[in-house]
Amino acid sequence: MLDDRKLSVLRAIVEDYVSTNEPVGSKSLADRHSLGVSPATIRNDMVALEEEGYITQPHTSAGRIPTDKGYRLFVDRLSTVKPLSAAERRAIETFLSGAVDLDEIVARTVRLLAQLTRQVAIVQYPSLTRSSVQHIELVPLGQQRVMMVLITNTGRVEQRVIDGLDQVSEEAVENLRQMLNRALVGKWLTDVPPSVEDLPAQVPPDDRRMAVSVLSVLLESLVEGHEEKIVLGGTANLAAMGFSASLRDVLEALEENVVLIRLLGEAGDPSMLTVRIGAENSHEGLRSTSIVSAGYGFGDQALAKLGVVGPTRMDYPGTMGAVRAVARYVGSILAGQ
Amino acid sequence: MLDDRKLSVLRAIVEDYVSTNEPVGSKSLADRHSLGVSPATIRNDMVALEEEGYITQPHTSAGRIPTDKGYRLFVDRLSTVKPLSAAERRAIETFLSGAVDLDEIVARTVRLLAQLTRQVAIVQYPSLTRSSVQHIELVPLGQQRVMMVLITNTGRVEQRVIDGLDQVSEEAVENLRQMLNRALVGKWLTDVPPSVEDLPAQVPPDDRRMAVSVLSVLLESLVEGHEEKIVLGGTANLAAMGFSASLRDVLEALEENVVLIRLLGEAGDPSMLTVRIGAENSHEGLRSTSIVSAGYGFGDQALAKLGVVGPTRMDYPGTMGAVRAVARYVGSILAGQ
DNA sequence: ATTAGCACTTAAGACCACGGAGTGCCAGGA
DNA sequence: TCCTGGCACTCCGTGGTCTTAAGTGCTAAT
């Protein structure tokens, strides 16, 4: 059905269209790539590719442009991830190595990705649920309020205020604090709920009400770890990407963190580099964009994802290379922290 | 020089241009506003206004559009801030009242402002330096590291890790913690540095090195309060605002938090509503935008600023009304927390 | 199976004519 | 002195026609 030459033609079409942003015709294809056949032959191959749905014509007597399906085939079988140049790798290293805390790592990563790919970069904060407890702190704030601070091994800090208590005593808080830390430090967050089940029973009756409040807030904060944080960068690059018409839709989609989190989540195996093209993205506003994403974390254990959003007409090999490289470096930096 | 009627003409020009986005001519002006004079008279007034630099012509035989100077006069003398409708005020209240912590207040405020004004909203986190110390927590992390958490009365939490210590003992940390809280709770952050000067002397010599490290990080975090946090929203509205050409510049400027902070800072009296028009903004990319901002805080003591960025061709009275109203509500919510 | 040749299609650009909205200016009237 | 009606002029935007360049599909020959 699709012999090697037809695939080469498809590859050439994608490459040319990506670099010129203009429908590519049989003649210019024959000129620019040495395919060893004449334009007429290429034309014949093109109708085959078009019948299969890999390319399409904006209008009769224009060149062809790849469809989503065409890009998909290109990504899956016709291209290889392009490794970064030595200079780029050095740039990543120096750029990221100066970061001191998690916020700064994330902020720098976003800028880096945006600059490398000249597209919109997305970085998700390390998910709460895939981390372990480093420390829990309880801080009395006046008579009726206590602040809980949860610190994870990924450097993330989650704080909540527990309100509406009565007569909080310093010792009671201190006791609870020690009890919590003894029970939970080092545990995966997912293991926290079972570990605290029988804690209230060990608290003196007078303080039990407070203990229960604190625990419920703690558990709640784990569940709401679902409310994961995301940072965006490089939106200015959107202006140069040329979806002028639908630009508003894209910006709107990017502002909806919920949407982005869902999209990143939909991407398959978190340890892999995944590409979602055009309509695969299941979000109206992003019909004409592709998302390249990868998980990052300690070794092969992914904590969260990062990626870039760009036009379906993007340089996939280059973008994939950049995303993969950045994900690896961020992982190693986090591990070193 | 500029009699009342000329000012009315200018006002009418601004209003029409803002609503139609097209240069406005003498005839349509006479039709749409009941100025009581003929187009010819209006034309005469227009040349006067043009000579003074308040309006300009895109080209001969087109209508007039206001210049930055024209907008300035309009804002200063020809318009009054438009109060919000009862419905809008209710919307603000219900929208903001559900927020539980500072992060959520800020996030909701940004969305609210963006929706009300259909422009880009900016909200600055309450500045560290204008808050007071609510609590300081020290948490030992292993043998060589301590985490410091600073909680302010505005609900803001600042955390740092102090690294490279040796042999951190639980008691030493606990002692220092109590000492710090005794010395600092309730103090304005600006008063912290003098208050800790002689603290190291009171620490047992063995622990002094740690105490000094912790203090220096604490002080540093106050200074870096300069690194104030900002949140953006409604960038999707940019697409509909019609600077297509310079859109990239605007997006770039908006991504530079440093720039935004500076611009907000440049605005005058923080307790007032201020408007900076076009080139007044001293940043290349924002030449064709105006910024309407206001301080917010407890009562008349401003903690930080918020505002919106839009095209110079914006509805100033409406925008100013929205910004002022939101600033007030946020202030009252913060005070109630 | 490939190629050369040819007739056909279409978008994009150049050119032109023209209508509309606006202007400046001048002379006459309150 | 200030306002107004009238008039000639300017310029942009629109729509029509024509031409050109690039590309296609088809057919016949290799």
Side-chain angles (χ1 to χ4, degrees), chain B residues 158-200:
Chain B
E158 199 79 2
Q159 84 258 352
R160 306 277 155 143
V161 172
I162 297 106
D163 209 337
L165 304 172
D166 42 31
Q167 297 298 19
V168 175
S169 86
E170 291 268 348
E171 310 95 278
V173 170
E174 178 58 22
N175 281 337
L176 183 57
R177 189 180 78 88
Q178 290 186 11
M179 195 180 290
L180 282 174
N181 279 290
R182 229 170 319 157
L184 298 178
V185 168
K187 287 245 168 66
W188 292 108
L189 294 201
T190 45
D191 297 337
V192 165
S195 308
V196 298
E197 255 176 14
D198 52 350
L199 269 188

Side-chain angles (χ1 to χ4, degrees), chain A residues 16-238:
Chain A
D16 273 23
Y17 182 60
V18 164
S19 70
T20 66
N21 196 18
E22 269 168 21
V24 10
S26 54
K27 179 133 188 302
S28 56
L29 248 196
D31 290 350
R32 302 174 37 131
H33 299 72
S34 38
L35 292 170
V37 289
S38 79
T41 308
I42 294 178
R43 280 206 286 280
N44 290 329
D45 291 350
M46 279 174 158
V47 309
L49 287 168
E50 184 158 15
E51 273 167 7
E52 300 289 332
Y54 294 109
I55 55 179
T56 184
Q57 284 180 295
H59 51 80
T60 336
S61 93
R64 308 302 215 284
I65 63 178
T67 60
D68 286 359
K69 188 176 172 191
Y71 286 123
R72 167 55 59 200
L73 184 60
F74 175 81
V75 167
D76 288 347
R77 298 183 40 202
L78 304 179
S79 68
T80 56
V81 176
K82 186 168 131 217
L84 296 195
S85 71
E88 286 171 315
R89 282 205 307 274
R90 258 198 316 281
I92 294 183
E93 233 163 333
T94 56
F95 200 79
L96 286 187
S97 62
V100 298
D101 64 0
L102 184 63
D103 285 335
E104 204 174 344
I105 292 177
V106 170
R108 289 194 182 203
T109 304
V110 144
R111 297 190 58 154
L112 182 63
L113 252 185
Q115 280 185 17
L116 280 174
T117 63
R118 309 197 157 280
Q119 291 171 339
V120 178
I122 313 179
V123 177
Q124 187 179 19
Y125 267 71
S127 152
L128 268 185
T129 54
R130 279 170 234 157
S131 325
S132 63
V133 177
Q134 170 118 342
H135 186 86
I136 293 178
E137 189 57 42
L138 294 179
V139 181
L141 305 176
Q143 290 288 305
Q144 284 139 37
R145 301 197 298 173
V146 172
M147 166 171 275
M148 183 206 73
V149 182
L150 170 67
I151 303 165
T152 73
N153 68 329
T154 49
R156 188 155 165 185
V157 178
E158 199 78 0
Q159 84 259 354
R160 306 276 155 144
V161 172
I162 297 107
D163 208 336
L165 304 172
D166 42 32
Q167 297 298 18
V168 175
S169 86
E170 292 267 350
E171 310 96 279
V173 171
E174 178 58 24
N175 281 336
L176 183 57
R177 189 180 80 87
Q178 290 187 11
M179 197 180 289
L180 283 174
N181 278 292
R182 226 170 320 152
L184 300 178
V185 167
K187 288 245 167 68
W188 292 107
L189 295 201
T190 45
D191 297 337
V192 165
S195 308
V196 298
E197 256 175 14
D198 52 350
L199 268 188
Q202 302 171 31
V203 175
D206 281 356
D207 303 330
R208 202 162 290 158
R209 186 156 160 270
M210 177 192 73
V212 170
S213 300
V214 169
L215 281 178
S216 78
V217 168
L218 171 60
L219 294 179
E220 186 182 296
S221 79
L222 296 181
V223 176
E224 281 180 19
H226 193 64
E227 162 233 333
E228 314 196 47
K229 225 167 128 191
I230 262 192
V231 178
L232 272 191
T235 46
N237 294 328
L238 276 176

Side-chain angles (χ1 to χ4, degrees), chain B residues 284-305:
Chain B
E284 265 311 312
L286 298 178
R287 275 290 153 77
S288 52
T289 68
S290 288
I291 300 182
V292 176
S293 64
Y296 70 93
F298 303 148
D300 57 349
Q301 176 214 351
L303 288 175
K305 298 195 177 169

Side-chain angles (χ1 to χ4, degrees), chain B residues 79-221:
Chain B
S79 69
T80 56
V81 176
K82 185 166 131 219
L84 297 196
S85 72
E88 286 171 316
R89 282 205 306 274
R90 259 199 315 282
I92 294 183
E93 233 164 329
T94 57
F95 200 81
L96 286 186
S97 62
V100 298
D101 65 359
L102 185 63
D103 285 335
E104 205 175 343
I105 292 177
V106 170
R108 289 194 183 204
T109 304
V110 144
R111 297 190 58 153
L112 183 63
L113 252 186
Q115 280 185 16
L116 280 174
T117 62
R118 310 197 155 280
Q119 291 170 342
V120 178
I122 314 179
V123 177
Q124 187 180 18
Y125 266 71
S127 151
L128 269 185
T129 53
R130 281 169 232 158
S131 325
S132 63
V133 177
Q134 170 120 345
H135 187 88
I136 294 177
E137 190 57 44
L138 295 180
V139 181
L141 306 175
Q143 291 288 305
Q144 283 141 36
R145 301 196 299 172
V146 172
M147 165 171 277
M148 183 205 72
V149 181
L150 170 67
I151 303 166
T152 74
N153 68 329
T154 49
R156 188 157 166 182
V157 178
E158 199 79 2
Q159 84 258 352
R160 306 277 155 143
V161 172
I162 297 106
D163 209 337
L165 304 172
D166 42 31
Q167 297 298 19
V168 175
S169 86
E170 291 268 348
E171 310 95 278
V173 170
E174 178 58 22
N175 281 337
L176 183 57
R177 189 180 78 88
Q178 290 186 11
M179 195 180 290
L180 282 174
N181 279 290
R182 229 170 319 157
L184 298 178
V185 168
K187 287 245 168 66
W188 292 108
L189 294 201
T190 45
D191 297 337
V192 165
S195 308
V196 298
E197 255 176 14
D198 52 350
L199 269 188
Q202 302 172 30
V203 175
D206 281 356
D207 304 330
R208 201 161 290 160
R209 185 154 161 271
M210 178 193 72
V212 170
S213 299
V214 170
L215 281 178
S216 79
V217 168
L218 171 60
L219 294 179
E220 186 182 297
S221 81

Side-chain angles (χ1 to χ4, degrees), chain B residues 4 13 15 56 58 112 127 135 145 180 203 258 270 314 322 334:
Chain B
D4 278 0
I13 291 176
E15 286 171 0
T56 184
L112 183 63
S127 151
H135 187 88
R145 301 196 299 172
L180 282 174
V203 175
V258 194
M314 75 161 66
L334 273 185

Side-chain angles (χ1 to χ4, degrees), chain B residues 2 10 45-57 65-73:
Chain B
L2 290 183
L10 177 57
D45 291 351
M46 279 174 157
V47 310
L49 287 168
E50 184 159 13
E51 273 168 6
E52 299 290 331
Y54 294 108
I55 55 179
T56 184
Q57 284 181 295
I65 63 178
T67 60
D68 285 0
K69 189 176 170 190
Y71 286 122
R72 168 54 59 200
L73 185 60

